[in-house]
Amino acid sequence: MTTLLQHVDRWRSNPLFGQMLRFGIAGGLSTVIYSAVYLPLTLYVFERQHAVYAVPFAFAVAVTAGFFLHSRWSFKGHGTGARGAAQQVQFVLVQASGMALNALITWICTAKLGYPGWVPLLPAIVLATGMTFVLNRYLVFK
């Protein structure tokens, strides 16, 4: 048991672990925001085969909230990289790559495989989250 507690203490003191934990929490909030926009659009506005059309709307809302969450909390104090407009553009580009991956997965699952609009949420979120964490950490908030 002592060894387990020592591991937990080591993880808690690791800055990367803290960033990952904060990124996960902030990403979870962004995901809730994304889903709150995406799901009603896929249920009431767009037909199943056009669910991918809801992605840009949900993305725009979630990326705005995400920038503030990540820049002020997830990666607060990390690195000495550029701040201001250049960083915001980099963040939007990274998130856009996540949106593109999300849209591709959504299109494959709904238009090609015929699944309901909610099915692609889990694989799209998991893959896009991992990719955007790495890109944000090493490119945006460096």
Side-chain angles (χ1 to χ4, degrees):
M1 188 65 147
T2 306
T3 306
L4 178 61
L5 293 176
Q6 290 171 337
H7 285 296
V8 170
D9 283 340
R10 225 176 300 135
W11 290 338
R12 287 179 47 195
S13 65
N14 184 330
L16 178 60
F17 178 75
Q19 280 181 347
M20 290 173 62
L21 184 61
R22 290 187 305 271
F23 187 86
I25 293 168
L29 290 171
S30 293
T31 299
V32 168
I33 293 167
Y34 178 91
S35 297
V37 175
Y38 172 83
L39 288 172
L41 289 174
T42 61
L43 290 172
Y44 303 112
V45 178
F46 300 112
E47 297 175 14
R48 177 180 295 175
Q49 66 270 24
H50 298 292
V52 71
Y53 297 160
V55 171
F57 296 103
F59 170 80
V61 176
V63 78
T64 301
F67 180 77
F68 291 104
L69 288 167
H70 292 307
S71 65
R72 299 182 199 283
W73 190 52
S74 300
F75 295 102
K76 183 179 179 181
H78 173 73
T80 58
R83 301 288 182 240
Q87 185 182 45
Q88 292 169 358
V89 169
Q90 289 172 331
F91 182 79
V92 169
L93 291 174
V94 165
Q95 297 309 110
S97 69
M99 182 191 72
L101 179 60
N102 188 322
L104 177 64
I105 293 168
T106 301
W107 177 74
I108 290 169
C109 288
T110 58
K112 293 297 180 186
L113 300 177
Y115 291 123
W118 61 267
V119 170
L121 281 176
L122 183 60
I125 289 166
V126 169
L127 293 172
T129 298
M131 181 183 77
T132 57
F133 175 79
V134 170
L135 293 174
N136 275 311
R137 178 165 168 65
Y138 294 104
L139 296 177
V140 179
F141 301 105
K142 55 187 177 191

